[in-house]
Amino acid sequence: MVEWQIFEGLQPYAPTLAAMEARAADITRGAADEAVWLLEHPPLYTAGTSARDADLRDPGRFPVHATGRGGQYTYHGPGQRVAYVMLDLNRRGRDVRRFVASLEDWVIATLAEFNVVGERRAGRVGVWVVRHDKPPLPDGSPREDKIAAIGIKLRRWVSFHGIAINVEPDLSHYEGIVPCGISDHGVTSLVDLGLPVTLADLDVALRATFERRFPPPKADHSPTPRARTDL
């Protein structure tokens, strides 16, 4: 079973990260079920393992947390739904690329519930929306805004961290960083796209589309490897 939990209010980052790591360790030991946690954080920036100092444009604006997930700088804050995904890939297939693709597929399917076309882009992890309502880029190509970020970590093939989808955050808060190291495209949200979507609406869609991308795994009694795998 995958246990779903929705946390009310803004959750402090460091204690939540510690609780998530503890839950992942319990899953590894077979002492807890897989889990998806849905929550919001107060305004903050997180630095992934590939973060560059130059991409932190305003270091004094919000707290900055170094984190072991993959990726560069990203923003979390009110109006953004964070989904921390703790799944056992020992039972679901030890394939990191396939797992990330499944997370992207999950986000794309969730956005489709609101008639939003989310797309992948080569070399850019996350989910993007083409903005035909905005002027094109200087080279004539359409502008694209990021609507969802993805950053994970695996330890003994159990995942933690996950995805973040913009519902109605303050998009000006992204000005303090170069989001995910990409400066020639912007960020958007469901409300910015003109959709009156709430966090509760998104939660329903996330739950409805989850098992299509992450069906219940088959039992696997093979030993858990000791190697640590990070993305």
Side-chain angles (χ1 to χ4, degrees):
M1 291 181 60
V2 177
E3 177 188 296
W4 287 72
Q5 187 169 356
I6 299 174
F7 293 79
E8 300 296 336
L10 302 180
Q11 303 301 308
Y13 188 78
T16 303
L17 179 61
M20 178 171 53
E21 292 194 356
R23 179 60 178 257
D26 287 343
I27 294 169
T28 299
R29 295 188 295 107
D33 290 330
E34 297 175 308
V36 175
W37 290 354
L38 303 178
L39 52 91
E40 293 174 278
H41 287 303
L44 58 91
Y45 299 129
T46 64
T49 54
S50 302
R52 298 173 296 195
D53 290 344
D55 288 343
L56 183 59
R57 291 170 165 168
D58 188 355
R61 186 167 189 175
F62 297 125
V64 179
H65 296 268
T67 179
R69 62 154 176 81
Q72 301 184 39
Y73 280 105
T74 194
Y75 166 76
H76 293 314
Q80 180 191 76
R81 179 53 90 209
V82 175
Y84 287 135
V85 182
M86 290 154 276
L87 299 181
D88 186 356
L89 301 194
N90 293 292
R91 302 169 59 209
R92 294 176 175 272
R94 298 171 185 169
D95 187 327
V96 177
R97 292 186 183 276
R98 187 176 72 182
F99 178 57
V100 173
S102 294
L103 289 171
E104 291 174 333
D105 285 343
W106 181 31
V107 173
I108 290 169
T110 298
L111 295 174
E113 296 287 298
F114 305 100
N115 296 315
V116 173
V117 178
E119 300 178 355
R120 294 185 179 88
R121 287 294 179 265
R124 291 190 251 146
V125 176
V127 177
W128 299 80
V129 175
V130 177
R131 299 302 301 268
H132 296 293
D133 57 324
K134 291 185 175 182
L137 293 170
D139 64 0
S141 61
R143 292 187 181 273
E144 298 173 343
D145 287 345
K146 192 169 191 175
I147 195 168
I150 296 175
I152 67 163
K153 186 172 182 178
L154 302 176
R155 184 173 293 151
R156 297 188 178 182
W157 291 101
V158 172
S159 70
F160 50 110
H161 294 281
I163 66 174
I165 301 177
N166 288 341
V167 178
E168 192 179 7
D170 185 337
L171 296 179
S172 71
H173 289 179
Y174 281 91
E175 295 170 2
I177 57 172
V178 178
C180 300
I182 298 169
S183 58
D184 54 350
H185 294 283
V187 291
T188 189
S189 69
L190 289 167
V191 171
D192 182 54
L193 294 173
L195 300 169
V197 178
T198 67
L199 290 173
D201 295 332
L202 185 71
D203 294 345
V204 171
L206 285 167
R207 187 74 180 265
T209 57
F210 179 80
E211 283 198 2
R212 301 178 208 167
R213 275 70 200 172
F214 300 99
K218 297 179 180 180
D220 181 2
H221 302 293
S222 60
T224 300
R226 293 184 176 276
R228 174 175 168 175
T229 306
D230 297 337
L231 174 66

